[in-house]
Amino acid sequence: MAFWTKERIWLNEKTAADLKGDPITIALIARCLQGETLAFEQLYERHVSYIYRLAFGLLQHREDAEEVLQDVFEYAFRSLKRYDPHKSAFKTWLYTITVSRCRNKRRRKWLPILSLSQGQDTNQDRPLEVVDDRVLLPEQHMTRQSDQEVVWQALGCLSDKLRETAILRYYEEMTYQEIGEILGIPAKTAESRMRLAHKALRAALQEFMEDENS
Amino acid sequence: MMTSHPFSNMRSDYVLGLLSDDEKNHFEHHLSGCPSCRAALEKDRQVGRLVKQTVHAQGNLSPARARSLMPQVPVRKTGSSLPLWRTGWVQPMTLGGIILALVVGFFNMGTNRAPAAVAATATMTQTVAVQTVDVVIVESELPLPTATPSPTPIAQLPAFEPQPQSAPAP
């Protein structure tokens, strides 16, 4: 809380070097705290895609991920004064909120782990339009979607704890220290969870990878 | 019976970035001379790549949808956004007005109430006296007064003495 004064925003030159995260985001936050609506929009646009991907990856349910997304940003906008850029990057702070909200959502819904047959039956969890896929031929597009379904289902077979760790590591390429901070666990625990997640995914995708390589 | 490769555990740790510098060098040295480890390592790397591609593709959100999901921006309560009654100059003015109204009201109430109280008292006294006189007149069978008498204080009124009634004529 040392960074933001009560109402006025000031950036101390001495402490600016210690700030975590990118300077553009920090400048946007400063503008948000001054009440600029446009800055809120820019801050949202800058972070919305990866927060949504994380939520969707963890929950594997579109509507739930959208609800969590709204909830995360609503909370972040309201609590922007509480964010301390000396402690963590804004992205890490948002991830922490997202993981917490996803856990709450799962707890409320008692979301069962998706089995392979469930995944095939539900239209809701079908892969969406991917921007990169527009350049593919129809048959290539179908193959890509099918591949993604296999991996998506393999991810769904992981326990919640392992899935959180795997997505943060594989997709976000975070360090174990950062994963530990976000999940509220020691870095060593994050490492062992990652080992288990990798082992499980590798076993689940073994056949698929062999087919693909052949 | 198939024996596991001595570097199999190290392989996944290498991909996951869990090896120390020494272990890393040791494994890389082994890797240069072991084609099976190189092939297995490629599969380990592929797991991460597939997960990354899938999460990226599955979690694609169109810009229009993203915009529609943006929550409301919190309104910052500064001077201009405050309601008029809470702004700096209106508040003392309102307070002064209320005090003034109270003072004026108090004085007005004091001047109006005194005559009203006196009048009410006089009327009540008169009514009581007249009623008492009427009762006395009826009971004593005296002729009614022609003019309205001035109200007699209750203390000066004659005491009520009932007269014995004569026996009815046969």
Side-chain angles (χ1 to χ4, degrees):
Chain A
M1 287 300 288
F3 178 64
W4 316 114
T5 55
K6 282 177 192 170
E7 291 294 323
R8 307 282 170 218
I9 313 302
W10 53 271
L11 188 61
N12 192 334
E13 284 179 12
K14 196 178 167 186
T15 59
D18 303 332
L19 301 178
K20 294 180 179 175
D22 65 320
I24 298 172
T25 301
I26 290 171
L28 278 174
I29 294 168
R31 282 169 56 204
C32 287
L33 289 170
Q34 283 172 323
E36 255 189 69
T37 312
L38 189 66
F40 277 104
E41 285 170 16
Q42 287 172 349
L43 193 69
Y44 176 79
E45 279 170 17
R46 204 173 168 79
H47 298 91
V48 65
S49 59
Y50 64 76
I51 291 299
Y52 178 75
R53 281 197 178 99
L54 177 64
F56 191 44
L58 296 181
L59 296 169
Q60 300 207 315
H61 191 278
R62 186 160 295 282
E63 282 77 24
D64 286 351
E66 287 181 354
E67 275 178 35
V68 164
L69 176 81
Q70 282 187 310
D71 200 18
V72 166
F73 277 98
E74 200 180 332
Y75 177 81
F77 287 170
R78 269 191 290 114
S79 317
L80 215 50
K81 274 184 189 173
R82 283 188 226 164
Y83 165 65
D84 186 354
H86 292 104
K87 279 186 183 172
S88 63
F90 185 67
K91 198 174 176 179
T92 313
W93 188 62
L94 281 183
Y95 277 149
T96 312
I97 302 167
T98 310
V99 169
S100 161
R101 292 294 188 276
C102 286
R103 283 176 180 173
N104 290 347
K105 194 81 185 168
R106 270 198 305 256
R107 212 172 294 139
R108 277 193 216 112
K109 283 196 75 176
W110 202 254
L111 187 76
I113 295 169
L114 291 171
S115 68
L116 294 179
S117 57
Q118 277 177 322
Q120 281 164 356
D121 291 341
T122 51
N123 291 324
Q124 226 167 19
D125 300 324
R126 286 277 164 84
L128 307 165
E129 280 185 327
V130 183
V131 180
D132 301 338
D133 285 356
R134 285 174 196 165
V135 291
L136 297 175
L137 296 168
E139 59 268 27
Q140 286 176 319
H141 186 87
M142 289 291 285
T143 316
R144 174 75 68 89
Q145 277 201 339
S146 161
D147 293 355
Q148 283 169 4
E149 270 185 32
V150 173
V151 181
W152 192 243
Q153 285 155 14
L155 264 175
C157 288
L158 293 179
S159 71
D160 296 336
K161 286 177 181 176
L162 297 189
R163 192 162 57 241
E164 286 169 357
T165 318
I167 290 173
L168 288 173
R169 177 67 191 172
Y170 285 138
Y171 182 67
E172 308 294 344
E173 295 178 353
M174 292 192 143
T175 64
Y176 294 101
Q177 189 65 41
E178 286 172 323
I179 294 171
E181 274 176 37
I182 291 167
L183 301 180
I185 53 172
K188 284 284 169 194
T189 311
E191 287 178 10
S192 58
R193 279 187 191 177
M194 195 56 224
R195 276 196 191 97
L196 291 171
H198 181 80
K199 200 176 168 186
L201 283 171
R202 173 132 195 209
L205 296 172
Q206 181 75 30
E207 204 179 321
F208 166 74
M209 286 192 294
E210 276 169 11
D211 288 349
E212 203 181 41
N213 291 337
S214 63
Chain B
M1 188 178 157
M2 201 177 156
T3 54
S4 82
H5 195 283
F7 282 89
S8 62
N9 284 338
M10 225 178 204
R11 207 172 50 224
S12 57
D13 280 9
Y14 178 77
V15 171
L16 297 173
L18 293 170
L19 294 183
S20 66
D21 288 345
D22 286 346
E23 287 171 327
K24 206 172 160 183
N25 290 335
H26 181 55
F27 179 71
E28 281 172 355
H29 180 71
H30 165 78
L31 205 62
S32 59
C34 182
S36 68
C37 262
R38 280 203 298 273
L41 185 71
E42 187 47 41
K43 280 187 182 172
D44 274 315
R45 282 184 174 143
Q46 205 180 348
V47 173
R49 274 202 302 269
L50 284 169
V51 170
K52 186 167 182 161
Q53 282 169 6
T54 304
V55 171
H56 184 83
Q58 295 272 6
N60 192 34
L61 190 67
S62 67
R65 183 68 184 146
R67 239 174 280 123
S68 71
L69 290 171
M70 185 178 161
Q72 206 174 4
V73 173
V75 181
R76 191 162 168 267
K77 291 184 178 178
T78 54
S80 57
S81 61
L82 283 170
L84 190 64
W85 60 273
R86 284 185 66 189
T87 50
W89 63 273
V90 172
Q91 216 165 10
M93 290 282 283
T94 312
L95 194 66
I98 290 168
I99 291 169
L100 188 68
L102 282 173
V103 168
V104 170
F106 177 77
F107 280 113
N108 278 345
M109 197 169 63
T111 50
N112 290 339
R113 188 173 278 179
V118 170
T121 314
T123 314
M124 281 171 67
T125 312
Q126 196 173 15
T127 311
V128 169
V130 168
Q131 280 175 354
T132 315
V133 167
D134 287 350
V135 169
V136 169
I137 288 167
V138 170
E139 292 298 328
S140 58
E141 294 180 356
L142 289 172
L144 288 169
T146 51
T148 310
S150 61
T152 315
I154 295 168
Q156 292 176 13
L157 288 172
F160 175 71
E161 290 174 4
Q163 290 181 355
Q165 288 187 356
S166 56

